[in-house]
Amino acid sequence: MTNENEGKKVLVTGASGGIGRAIALAAAQAGYEVVAHYNHGKEKVDALIAEITAAGGKASAIQFNVADRADCAAKLEAWSEENGAFWGIVCNAGICADNAFPALSDDNWDSVIHTNLDGFYNVLKPLVMPLCRKKRGRIITISSVSGVMGNRGQVNYSASKAGIIGATKALAVELASRKITVNCIAPGIIETEMIKDAPMEHILPTIPMGRAGTAEEVAALAVFLLSEGASYITRQVIGVNGGLI
């Protein structure tokens, strides 16, 4: 563990999933104090915290539903009142419910939009003013290659992830004068549970590097964007996609 980032707290939403877990571990390795969010999957987050603390890092858990505005506000405002502002916020939590557009149900649409896009607002709205008062901080959102180029069978998911890109860019403009950077990572095909049923034999030939990425490769970029070295990088959408687009 390093001490450069001691005392800087970083919230990672969706820390029970593959990319979120990797970001939390990498942030802890860089010396940040990690606040690992989950809605379901408490056992996974407990194991994550145990791994971080066993390595000498600091981590704690927080539970709320990113799609529930009142729940986010209550939990995050209470946390901020007790602990102050976060240094970094990584909005990673998200879901997919893929289907051809004519076969999408109302729930397929609503659940994805409420979790992925409304979650941006629900998580960040209670936390931005504390950052502004500190005049420092990092916000990282996780979009997707699907939000950049669109993907068949993912009209709902692509809409939510494209919305995150637009919201990220706009928020970056608003917060730049407060020395708060706001950037977006757009992963491509990453080895997580989300692609376990994907037809990889058809997907891999479309990727110039010929392989899926790893959650650790996404996490490496996230940790850089959290760092002091990234203080002049804002309003950017950075792909981690093996040259897919």
Side-chain angles (χ1 to χ4, degrees):
M1 298 291 176
T2 64
N3 293 319
E4 178 184 359
N5 299 310
E6 186 174 1
K8 293 180 178 177
K9 297 177 176 64
V10 173
L11 172 66
V12 181
T13 68
S16 61
I19 290 176
R21 181 181 188 278
I23 292 172
L25 284 171
Q29 183 64 38
Y32 297 101
E33 182 176 335
V34 172
V35 180
H37 157 265
Y38 69 96
N39 185 25
H40 307 293
K42 181 179 186 298
E43 298 81 4
K44 292 181 179 180
V45 167
D46 286 345
L48 168 66
I49 291 172
E51 184 173 347
I52 289 172
T53 55
K58 294 182 179 179
S60 59
I62 187 170
Q63 186 278 332
F64 54 83
N65 179 0
V66 299
D68 185 329
R69 188 163 300 158
D71 191 33
C72 288
K75 302 283 180 59
L76 291 171
E77 287 171 4
W79 190 96
S80 295
E81 287 176 9
E82 182 175 347
N83 300 282
F86 286 103
W87 163 259
I89 304 160
V90 183
C91 294
N92 165 75
I95 63 170
C96 64
D98 298 348
N99 215 331
F101 186 73
L104 279 178
S105 68
D106 290 350
D107 183 65
N108 290 154
W109 180 268
D110 291 342
S111 62
V112 169
I113 296 297
H114 290 332
T115 300
N116 297 359
L117 185 54
D118 290 351
F120 172 98
Y121 179 88
N122 296 343
V123 170
L124 291 177
K125 187 62 161 55
L127 299 178
V128 162
M129 280 309 298
L131 284 179
C132 289
R133 286 191 286 268
K134 290 285 188 181
K135 293 187 178 181
R136 59 166 203 167
R138 304 282 185 264
I139 295 172
I140 300 169
T141 62
I142 306 296
S143 179
S144 167
V145 66
S146 184
V148 178
M149 62 183 288
N151 191 29
R152 66 183 301 166
Q154 290 192 318
V155 173
N156 52 351
Y157 187 73
S158 294
S160 70
K161 292 298 188 177
I164 286 171
I165 289 173
T168 298
K169 285 177 172 286
L171 186 60
V173 176
E174 291 191 16
L175 299 184
S177 65
R178 303 300 181 102
K179 299 180 182 179
I180 300 165
T181 67
V182 190
N183 291 291
C184 182
I185 299 174
I189 305 302
I190 305 297
E191 293 175 352
T192 65
E193 283 291 309
M194 192 172 283
I195 68 163
K196 66 179 181 179
D197 297 322
M200 297 304 293
E201 68 276 11
H202 300 300
I203 294 173
L204 290 180
T206 70
I207 303 172
M209 292 192 75
R211 67 172 178 87
T214 68
E216 288 73 23
E217 288 169 318
V218 178
L221 175 57
V223 169
F224 172 67
L225 291 174
L226 287 170
S227 72
E228 295 284 1
S231 60
Y232 199 56
I233 301 172
T234 197
R235 208 184 183 190
Q236 302 306 302
V237 180
I238 305 173
V240 182
N241 58 38
L244 183 58
I245 57 171

